[in-house]
Amino acid sequence: MLNEDKRTPMPMLKGSRLMMKPIELQDAPRLLDILADPEVIKYVTQGSFFSFARSRRIASELLATGRMDSLHMGIWIYGERELAGVVSMQHWRQEKRDAMIGYMLAKEYWGRGIASEALGLMLHYAFTELKLLHMEGRCHAVNTASARVMQKNGMQLSRTFQHRRMFFAAPVEMKVYVHTDRSYDEYRKGLQLQANPAIAPSLQS
């Protein structure tokens, strides 16, 4: 659990197509709209059963400001007024400098690379500003789109496990992807090298 006096104020994160900032109470109606889509919420948690009560509970958790072990950033596309989605850091432990990361996107934004860019912004902030040592993300094994978002950001498959949602339901296979501070640093160097091959000697020194 983070101590409040050690919590770093969260800046606005800006990418090429979107910006991110902490979600606020005024975002609740749009957040509920996104979570009311069964296609969205079935992958938000490890369960897959849709209910409006569950949607409201998740929205309440995302809007909670008193928890010091989580951070929920809204995604806004430049030129658009509506919330497009959320990227979250959860189970954030200051003493161990690790966290879990998750994301969701309104269905109309699927397939446009928005989630990949938003996750990249959050990972960059987590490793370069918050100095995290370990970040973990999970997705349903069948959710290949979510897995690709993590893979595009250099996260590596660490393990799979069987999650039993309810005692009467069949277990769901989950995949766990990981970045460490070292793997993220190597990933960033790779991106820099792709953008400018002339800097290769300085990156290797």
Side-chain angles (χ1 to χ4, degrees), residues 69-177:
D69 63 347
S70 59
L71 175 64
H72 308 295
M73 298 289 285
I75 303 168
W76 278 267
I77 312 301
Y78 294 139
E80 300 186 20
R81 299 182 63 182
E82 283 196 325
L83 178 73
V86 177
V87 179
S88 296
M89 275 177 42
Q90 303 175 55
H91 306 291
W92 182 7
R93 299 181 296 182
Q94 185 183 36
E95 70 280 5
K96 293 190 175 182
R97 293 163 63 186
D98 64 2
M100 290 181 62
I101 198 162
Y103 42 89
M104 70 172 188
L105 203 62
K107 193 159 55 178
E108 59 264 35
Y109 295 102
W110 290 5
R112 294 167 50 181
I114 300 299
S116 295
E117 182 175 347
L119 179 64
L121 288 173
M122 185 69 104
L123 287 171
H124 180 78
Y125 181 75
F127 284 110
T128 64
E129 299 296 329
L130 300 179
K131 306 301 182 184
L132 263 62
L133 299 177
H134 186 275
M135 182 75 82
E136 178 178 298
R138 299 180 178 187
C139 68
H140 289 68
V142 298
N143 190 358
T144 55
S146 185
R148 283 196 299 272
V149 168
M150 289 184 278
Q151 292 165 359
K152 286 179 181 178
N153 280 283
M155 299 182 76
Q156 299 294 317
L157 181 63
S158 172
R159 67 185 189 278
T160 62
F161 68 95
Q162 299 292 320
H163 172 69
R164 186 172 293 279
R165 299 162 293 176
M166 296 182 182
F167 71 92
F168 57 82
V172 175
E173 184 179 8
M174 304 293 296
K175 290 186 175 182
V176 179
Y177 287 83

Side-chain angles (χ1 to χ4, degrees), residues 31-92:
L31 187 60
L32 284 169
D33 284 344
I34 297 173
L35 288 166
D37 187 335
E39 291 299 307
V40 173
I41 196 174
K42 73 177 181 179
Y43 293 132
V44 170
T45 64
Q46 294 176 14
S48 61
F49 296 106
F50 172 77
S51 73
F52 287 109
R54 182 163 166 250
S55 295
R56 289 191 295 270
R57 176 180 58 79
I58 294 172
S60 178
E61 292 174 356
L62 293 175
L63 291 165
T65 58
R67 296 194 56 151
M68 303 307 296
D69 63 347
S70 59
L71 175 64
H72 308 295
M73 298 289 285
I75 303 168
W76 278 267
I77 312 301
Y78 294 139
E80 300 186 20
R81 299 182 63 182
E82 283 196 325
L83 178 73
V86 177
V87 179
S88 296
M89 275 177 42
Q90 303 175 55
H91 306 291
W92 182 7

Side-chain angles (χ1 to χ4, degrees), residues 14-38:
K14 295 183 178 181
S16 62
R17 293 180 296 167
L18 59 89
M19 56 83 68
M20 295 167 56
K21 63 180 182 178
I23 56 176
E24 302 173 348
L25 189 59
Q26 65 191 29
D27 303 314
R30 173 57 175 166
L31 187 60
L32 284 169
D33 284 344
I34 297 173
L35 288 166
D37 187 335

